[in-house]
Amino acid sequence: MSNKALNAFGRTGLYLTVFTTGASVMVIELLGTRLIAPFYGTSLYVWSSLISVTMIALATGYFVGGRWADSAKRTGLSLIIALAALLTLVIPWLTRPVLLATDPLGLRAGAFVSALLLFSPSLTLLGMVGPFAIKLATSKLDGVGNSAGSIYAVSTLGSVVGTLVLGFFLFPLVGSREILVGTGLLLFLLAVSVAIYEQKQLGVAVALLPSVLLAIVGLGLMPKVVGAGHAYNGGTLFQIQSERETLYGWVRVIDQPSRDLRLLTSDASAIGASSIRNGQSKLIYQDIVGLIPALTPKMNRSLIVGLGAGHMAKVLYDNYGIVTDTLEIDPAVASAAVDYFGYKPTGQAIVGDARYEIRHLSGKYDLIIHDCFTGGSEPAHLLTVETLKQLRSLLADNGILALNFVAFSQGEHNIALASVGRTIEQVFPQQAVFVSEPGKDFNDFIFLASSQPIDVNARTLTAEQSNWLTSRVFPVDKTQGMILTDNLNPLEHLQTAKAEYYRRFIVDWLGPDLLVR
């Protein structure tokens, strides 16, 4: 690049360039979780993989870009941006084969390698823009510090704006693949603009040609890229009734007619299951929860945190006349419960983040059902001493908290279960635990917690109900557990084996065609 000082027009254009590429970096990084989540979930491992890959790519880009900027005399910036645009544009096209190829690596390695293969090429090239821009903006040695500071400040500002625009406006309205395609096209437009400047102002004879050729290639790939996410196999085994991308992942309603089964899934987690024929729930743990009002008669008001398909709210109202407020973070889940599972709100139907919304609720509830812990990712912040204290403050004096937790019961993997038991006993003096399917290691465990003793032989239960509940009482050994707090909560780490087991189960059952678009 020329070392001549840029005029005001050229400097403005340079700042616009680094602003746009800085915004693109954050868009690609954040979209990465959306593309990987349906297959690997949204756990800390996925986020750690994306952040690590972004840092690796940018560090590589800074190093290579700095060397290239020093060795290149009059060309380079437009070509780098055009290559970054092309590699961004093909990410949706590559997502499916990359995820399928990395599946055998498991949750952690698979998520990292997928992120590395999909996003590091474009991010590395975008990282190269900074050193080139500094070289262009610097006319003499004693101005390097000012130029570097200004370039990286503008680039960082672009990243901030890109993050806010993506999270606040684009995500709720536009699909991830469409946003990536739009980012690629924007970078192509930027590359051609920079190439025109290089050719006219810097005298680079062929600066425009490479960028235009790469843009033509990218536009030629557009039909394949845009259609890359729609090749799932519904067939006769599974039928997709509905799917919707939201701020929190892909929400799908999937029918398996051969088993009279309708599933509600969020990414790779099944959060609801019912009969297609009659709409009855097929989750055994919900049968256990459905007997709780019989343990403490005269329940009138309940709260469900984690709506799922809405079956529990229906059971509570139909069987006991209990009015139920529901709290669900994902609006698509709330809509699917109404549209496909027959859920009808009997109380407040709140859509929002649990920790925030709980602070604004007013008790007292006779029953709180805490059902956010699926086989997939762990919302660890919802299972701490602090969260449980918030929930207890909403309970009536004789109220009961029911918490559903998916885990292993045996061996080294049951530390998570023991930790849940220890954490609950820090807040509630009385506790009882039931298992969904006795004899199975991997299971749903239902913790009942209260200020009063919990009697599974209550007179309000029939003999059959009492025997059925008694057969599912599970003694949790809490000696190996730890107390989970907002300050220290390694729940995701403790549940790594569970997440890998569950992911493998879902992939084998539904098949990758239904999980990877």
Side-chain angles (χ1 to χ4, degrees), residues 292-369:
I292 296 174
L295 299 176
T296 306
K298 298 182 180 180
M299 285 188 171
N300 298 307
R301 189 181 180 207
S302 69
L303 169 69
I304 296 179
V305 183
L307 174 64
H311 289 118
M312 285 312 310
K314 185 175 186 300
V315 167
L316 293 176
Y317 186 77
D318 291 347
N319 293 356
Y320 304 98
I322 297 174
V323 174
T324 300
D325 295 340
T326 59
L327 178 52
E328 170 59 49
I329 192 172
D330 197 327
V333 171
S335 296
V338 172
D339 296 339
Y340 294 94
F341 294 88
Y343 165 64
K344 296 180 181 179
T346 58
Q348 294 186 77
I350 305 167
V351 176
D353 182 78
R355 287 290 290 264
Y356 174 83
E357 298 294 345
I358 287 170
R359 293 199 304 270
H360 295 83
L361 290 174
S362 58
K364 297 294 187 176
Y365 292 102
D366 302 301
L367 172 63
I368 296 178
I369 299 173

